[in-house]
Amino acid sequence: MSQLTMEAPVLMSEAPAVRGRAVAAVLLAVQFMLILDVAVVSVANPQIQQGLHIPAGDLQWTSTAYTVTFGGLLVVSGRACDILGRRRLFLAGTALFTLSSAVCGLAQQDWQLFVARAVQGIGAAMVSPAALSLLTTSFADPEKRNRVMGLWGAVASGGAVAGQLVGGVLTDTWGWRWVFLINLPVGVLAMLAGRYVLPRDEERRTAALDTAGAVTLTLGTVLAVFGISRTAEHALDALAGVSFAAAVVLLAMFVRRERRHDDPLVRFGIFRNRSLVGGNLVSVLNAAAALTTIFFTSLYMQHVLNYSPFVAGLAFAPVTLAILGVSSLTDRLVAAFGVRTLLAAGAVLTGAGLLALCAMAVDGSYWTTVLPGLMLLGIGQGLGFAPGMIAATDGVPDDEQGLASGLVTTSQQLGGAVGFAILASVAASALPAPDSADPVALIHSYRVGYLAGLVVPALALVAALTLTRGRAAGPASTISSTKAKGETV
């Protein structure tokens, strides 16, 4: 009997830890799937175009249809989490994403793929802020919260880079349809596990979602994202200009309505939280630096060093490992140095990585002109990604964690898109001819893009030093109430 009584407390103490790890595993697996789907399609696009006979001018919609709905619905979905329930939105979004992935993989015509990709984006927009807010509210202990946020950062930033590799492997071995069909087992397992391990939604307050505000915000954001994507593909043409103008009008209408609404979709008082503002700014800038660096470096390896898409994707593997390694140490690094110091160090290393990549040459090699710069940038991203998200959700009440999560996820999506559109346009303007294939001219163009991109980590450094706190306090909620749920790691 004495042995049983001694073992019982041990088993009881282990149960919450096991449950906490299960919660984190489900949320991280689905987030990795969402981020992977942004990058993985770019590698498969040539096979997709050939398989479905998509005209060259329409091929962009394989990516744009997803990013427009994903980026455009994040804030609304984040607020819906706070009102309708995080678990409920996570499971519904995962189901929608999984089903639409199957439709993508089975598509027989281009329009079917485009529509299914748009629905995928809607599902992703429902899942991402729900998953992040579930993480921030489930782990109250600062050390454990920082640990899972580090893993979240590793998944989010590493997934974007790993997409290049995974896309190349799947496309070369099984064909482009498996870029989408691979989501099915992950999605189904996540739904089954999520029903059992995710914390149930508490009784929600009776307030209804501000429908008119949601419509104007969604349409305005979707049009803004479309304008950015259009500009990146076709420069600033008439359609992009109209999209931007309509977005400005709709977003102005949204702000006017929200300031007068008794229960607004976005409470603008949340922006008085300096850490939230700083975290969002750093997240915007980190995403811009990462996406544009991947873009220019991929072009250099394929057009100058003559690497195949698969080999170019494989070249990012060490960077992925660096990001995963650094992000896994987030809890210890935050405890030792604080959020502000990590964000500043990440910005400095990102800038150093961009400068190192400027040394690329026609007779360069992966080991001397690519890997050093990418590793510096990878370490910088690893140091900055998770702390940026910690800062962006720091001090936010539990009942607004969904909104805060939607805001920071939107910052990452729009930051990458805006940074890519601007810096790609700057680099293209340095080419002597739009379709120039001269390696010297191409390298000059990429170098101009890298040098112009130095403003991004410089702004991130300023934002980190002036707007973020040295130590994050976590969500503004009572720790004891969250611990009572037994959701620890």
Side-chain angles (χ1 to χ4, degrees):
M1 178 66 70
S2 60
Q3 184 177 359
L4 290 176
T5 57
M6 290 176 63
E7 289 179 353
V10 176
L11 294 175
M12 292 176 63
S13 64
E14 287 179 353
V18 172
R19 183 182 181 86
R21 285 192 288 271
V23 169
V26 170
L27 299 177
L28 293 171
V30 174
Q31 178 66 9
F32 183 76
M33 179 175 65
L34 303 186
I35 298 300
L36 201 70
D37 239 55
V38 176
V40 75
V41 175
S42 62
V43 180
N45 265 337
Q47 275 201 18
I48 294 174
Q49 182 179 16
Q50 183 179 6
L52 296 181
H53 308 290
I54 302 175
D58 295 337
L59 186 61
Q60 61 161 319
W61 286 105
T62 58
S63 298
T64 303
Y66 180 80
T67 55
V68 164
T69 52
F70 187 10
L73 290 167
L74 281 167
V75 175
V76 171
S77 296
R79 190 57 180 145
C81 292
D82 296 327
I83 297 175
L84 303 177
R86 304 178 182 102
R87 179 178 181 271
R88 184 178 294 114
L89 227 67
F90 175 85
L91 293 175
T94 302
L96 184 61
F97 184 89
T98 305
L99 179 61
S100 55
S101 294
V103 177
C104 286
L106 300 174
Q108 300 300 312
Q109 297 184 38
D110 54 2
W111 68 267
Q112 295 172 348
L113 177 63
F114 300 156
V115 171
R117 284 287 281 165
V119 177
Q120 258 193 324
I122 296 172
M126 295 168 65
V127 169
S128 194
L132 180 56
S133 60
L134 278 167
L135 276 184
T136 57
T137 56
S138 294
F139 303 99
D141 179 75
E143 182 181 347
K144 293 171 182 176
R145 177 173 178 264
N146 290 342
R147 185 181 306 157
V148 294
M149 290 296 282
L151 294 173
W152 180 274
V155 163
S157 55
V161 180
Q164 307 290 319
L165 174 60
V166 174
V169 172
L170 290 175
T171 303
D172 285 352
T173 53
W174 294 339
W176 67 266
R177 295 184 184 277
W178 282 95
V179 166
F180 303 108
L181 295 177
I182 198 69
N183 294 332
L184 270 62
V186 179
V188 170
L189 288 174
M191 284 187 290
L192 293 175
R195 290 182 62 86
Y196 290 99
V197 305
L198 295 180
R200 294 192 174 277
D201 296 318
E202 297 176 353
E203 192 68 30
R204 313 311 297 178
R205 58 194 184 89
T206 57
L209 191 68
D210 176 12
T211 306
V215 170
T216 52
L217 175 61
T218 299
L219 290 177
T221 310
V222 164
L223 286 169
V225 174
F226 172 76
I228 292 167
S229 301
R230 177 79 182 183
T231 301
E233 295 285 344
H234 303 284
L236 185 59
D237 58 8
L239 183 56
V242 171
S243 298
F244 284 130
V248 169
V249 172
L250 286 166
L251 293 175
M253 291 171 58
F254 169 75
V255 171
R256 184 172 182 270
R257 173 180 175 80
E258 296 302 284
R259 289 190 178 279
R260 299 180 176 184
H261 201 277
D262 293 335
D263 191 16
L265 184 72
V266 177
R267 184 181 64 83
F268 290 109
I270 198 172
F271 296 108
R272 288 197 290 268
N273 182 330
R274 287 168 59 87
S275 180
L276 178 142
V277 173
N280 275 275
L281 284 175
V282 172
S283 296
V284 165
L285 297 164
N286 280 343
L291 187 60
T292 52
T293 301
I294 291 171
F295 174 71
F296 289 134
T297 308
S298 296
L299 291 179
Y300 171 67
M301 287 190 289
Q302 293 183 56
H303 295 325
V304 179
L305 300 183
N306 296 317
Y307 288 0
S308 68
F310 171 72
V311 174
L314 189 63
F316 286 99
V319 187
T320 304
L321 294 176
I323 293 173
L324 292 173
V326 174
S327 297
S328 66
L329 299 174
T330 293
D331 57 326
R332 302 177 197 174
L333 294 173
V334 169
F337 303 105
V339 170
R340 183 190 297 129
T341 301
L342 294 186
L343 291 176
V348 171
L349 287 172
T350 297
L354 290 171
L355 279 175
L357 287 167
C358 288
M360 61 175 54
V362 174
D363 59 349
S365 72
Y366 171 72
W367 301 105
T368 59
T369 56
V370 175
L371 186 60
L374 283 183
M375 290 300 288
L376 285 170
L377 183 118
I379 296 171
Q381 290 291 300
L383 287 175
F385 198 97
M389 302 186 80
I390 292 172
T393 55
D394 183 34
V396 178
D398 270 0
D399 62 357
E400 290 187 325
Q401 280 290 323
L403 173 60
S405 300
L407 288 171
V408 69
T409 312
T410 302
S411 296
Q412 292 162 356
Q413 292 298 315
L414 294 183
V418 172
F420 168 74
I422 294 174
L423 295 178
S425 299
V426 170
S429 67
L431 281 172
D435 298 321
S436 175
D438 176 26
V440 176
L442 290 174
I443 288 175
H444 173 66
S445 171
Y446 306 152
R447 190 175 290 124
V448 168
Y450 287 133
L451 290 173
L454 286 173
V455 71
V456 173
L459 291 174
L461 179 61
V462 172
L465 294 177
T466 59
L467 293 175
T468 61
R469 292 191 287 192
R471 292 286 188 273
S477 59
T478 58
I479 293 177
S480 58
S481 64
T482 310
K483 281 185 175 179
K485 303 174 187 176
E487 297 152 12
T488 58
V489 290

